[in-house]
Amino acid sequence: MTSVLYDAPGPKAIFRSRLFSVVAGLVIAAGLVWLILALGAPKTSANGAVQPGLWDVSRWDVFADREVWRTLGRGALNTLRMAGVAAAFALVLGVLFSFGRVSDTKWIRIPTTVVLEFVRGMPVLLMMLFILLVFSTGSFWAGVAALSVYNGAIIGEALRAGIKSLPRGQREAGLAIGLTPVATRFRIEFPQAFRQMLPIIIAQLVVLLKDTSLAFVVGYEELLRSGLYNLTNFFGSRYSFSFFLVVLAIYLTMNLLLSWLARVIARRTGSKSGGVTTDTKAPPEKPLDPEVVYPAALGNQMGARGL
Amino acid sequence: MEAVIENLPLFLEGFRNTLGLLLLAGTGALVFGIIIAAMRISPVASLRGFATVYTEIVRNTPLTLVLFFCAYILPYLQFSPGYFVLATIGLTVYTSPFVAEALRSGVNGVHVGQAEAARSVGLTFTQTLSFVVMPQAVRMVIPPLINVFIALTKNTSVAGAFFVFELFGAARKITNDRGDEVLAILLAVAVFYLLVTISLGLIAGRVEKKVAVLR
């Protein structure tokens, strides 16, 4: 409970802060209740017709239809399929990019750097359109290619940072026992960098899963297109808000599960990778530094997230 | 190449709208982000909880879904101030939690010894924050904040898919008209995006180097 920034609060201050917390909580709750009631109230449209509120049964009865759920499931599976294929390619590309970026040969390093800068500065959506029009692949492969190149570039940068943050002795030791430079990179440096950067890589895969929704624009039948756009077009815009809420819930479930997994892995590898570098100076980028002011010091008891 | 020169006015109009979206949504996200970050580090538990839930929900929602909501469902709920404003609202909502996280990580990055030293020479809570912690936090916040704005620049392209005529919208329209020069047109659009993102990246790199010397 004690904080560096102020003295421990006395009984009066504790009472005041509790009171304020309760009042703020009530205000937020009242706002949410008002929002829900306002959305549920029947509306009169411009021509005088009265529409039922958004929580009315007539807007939700469509979910009794089996086919609706099947369409939603198909969309979610398509999203996961695209994310899975793109993630595999992105990891392979990321490894290749990171090796190209730290290569000792100028002829490899400089072109890779230029390509990476180009790719990282471009919107994924533009890349999708580009691949779709120029190489006339289907919408699935356009989406997969754009997502894997873009996320591969970001994963490559993360791995490069990981390799750079290793103590120099690691590479020197590898060379000293007679490994070739390439073997040193592969067998000594890369495994350590990969483990250190795993939380960042998984966080990037969550971004990739979210970004599959961009394939909606190039016409791929993923969750947003089949679950929201097509169903709304088919059953009428009366149901659009209901479909939106359900699709939102599906996306949140998928992404929160993956984020949670990322956090679990971050906690695990965080304690392990510390052992590699404790004998030397601390690496420049540490995921969690116990010596800094966390929100706990500002009166927040929740602590910082691992990422 | 000919198609690019012919349609230069369209490109420039798209570029102007992209910059407009970037400036408006960037300012909005900065304001909201500061409020959310303040709520997240405040001692009031209920505000903290609200800000945390908001951040988690928005960060795990795809931008396309947010903009779909703004472009299709808000007008259906009889709120339609035009697609440009709707896209700005969507981008603001989507970007604000990322701004808040960048701000929070900056405050977290200040060494705890700094606060301890300030307290032990007798500074109060307000003085510690405003003279010691915040000046350092602001410097450290700028590079991650610029990264958020680079991401926002790229994200404005999604608005082009929802009836806003910015660079991506221009690319779609021009490639439809001139199917024979797709490559040149798309490369020209990429150059416009890179103009913004790479220059922002250079600024971020320079600031980062300065901060590294300061620490």
Side-chain angles (χ1 to χ4, degrees), chain B residues 9-78:
Chain B
L10 281 182
F11 279 117
L12 289 177
E13 194 196 333
F15 191 48
R16 212 171 44 235
N17 279 332
T18 293
L19 289 181
L21 278 178
L22 174 63
L23 281 180
L24 288 176
T27 319
L30 199 59
V31 172
F32 272 96
I34 290 172
I35 295 173
I36 293 160
M39 280 164 94
R40 276 201 85 162
I41 61 175
S42 79
V44 185
S46 53
L47 291 182
R48 220 160 52 215
F50 175 75
T52 312
V53 171
Y54 174 82
T55 307
E56 281 300 303
I57 288 182
V58 176
R59 284 214 318 173
N60 286 295
T61 308
L63 174 62
T64 329
L65 190 61
V66 175
L67 287 179
F68 189 97
F69 180 81
C70 289
Y72 285 97
I73 295 174
L74 279 183
Y76 177 70
L77 299 176
Q78 294 169 1

Side-chain angles (χ1 to χ4, degrees), chain A residues 124-132 142-143 146-147 211 214-215 218:
Chain A
V124 186
L125 195 52
L126 191 67
M127 262 190 265
M128 277 187 196
L129 186 73
F130 187 96
I131 294 166
L132 185 75
L147 285 173
D211 279 355
L214 292 174
V218 291

Side-chain angles (χ1 to χ4, degrees), chain A residues 2-211:
Chain A
T2 51
S3 158
V4 206
L5 291 176
Y6 43 78
D7 299 325
K12 262 190 195 168
I14 289 180
F15 174 74
R16 226 183 307 136
S17 102
R18 286 229 180 102
L19 186 74
F20 193 63
S21 179
V22 169
V23 169
L26 285 178
V27 169
I28 291 170
L32 287 178
V33 168
W34 175 81
L35 187 70
I36 290 169
L37 288 180
L39 287 176
K43 281 179 312 185
T44 318
S45 58
N47 54 12
V50 177
Q51 295 175 331
L54 290 175
W55 313 117
D56 196 82
V57 189
S58 66
R59 289 184 186 272
W60 292 86
D61 53 5
V62 69
F63 287 102
D65 191 343
R66 272 261 189 78
E67 202 47 47
V68 168
W69 289 107
R70 218 167 285 153
T71 313
L72 284 169
R74 229 177 3 246
L77 276 184
N78 277 343
T79 287
L80 288 176
R81 199 158 58 101
M82 176 176 267
V85 177
F89 280 118
L91 282 175
V92 173
L93 274 177
V95 173
L96 289 180
F97 278 143
S98 72
F99 283 143
R101 193 79 159 70
V102 294
S103 164
D104 294 326
T105 323
K106 238 194 221 164
W107 295 110
I108 301 175
R109 194 175 61 236
I110 293 173
T112 321
T113 312
V114 172
V115 168
L116 282 186
E117 282 299 319
F118 183 76
V119 168
R120 291 197 311 156
M122 265 221 307
V124 186
L125 195 52
L126 191 67
M127 262 190 265
M128 277 187 196
L129 186 73
F130 187 96
I131 294 166
L132 185 75
L133 293 180
V134 175
F135 301 105
S136 51
T137 57
S139 58
F140 176 75
W141 288 108
V144 166
L147 285 173
S148 25
V149 170
Y150 180 78
N151 291 289
I154 295 192
I155 290 173
E157 277 299 285
L159 285 174
R160 183 191 70 99
I163 291 176
K164 283 272 154 188
S165 77
L166 289 176
R168 269 209 357 239
Q170 296 290 329
R171 180 170 179 76
E172 285 163 1
L175 294 175
I177 59 170
L179 293 176
T180 62
V182 175
T184 310
R185 196 136 270 160
F186 245 105
R187 301 178 61 176
I188 310 281
E189 293 181 286
F190 179 69
Q192 300 184 46
F194 192 79
R195 193 196 268 177
Q196 205 175 0
M197 289 294 147
L198 199 56
I200 295 181
I201 291 172
I202 296 182
Q204 194 55 40
L205 294 184
V206 178
V207 175
L208 191 152
L209 180 58
K210 267 169 46 173
D211 279 355

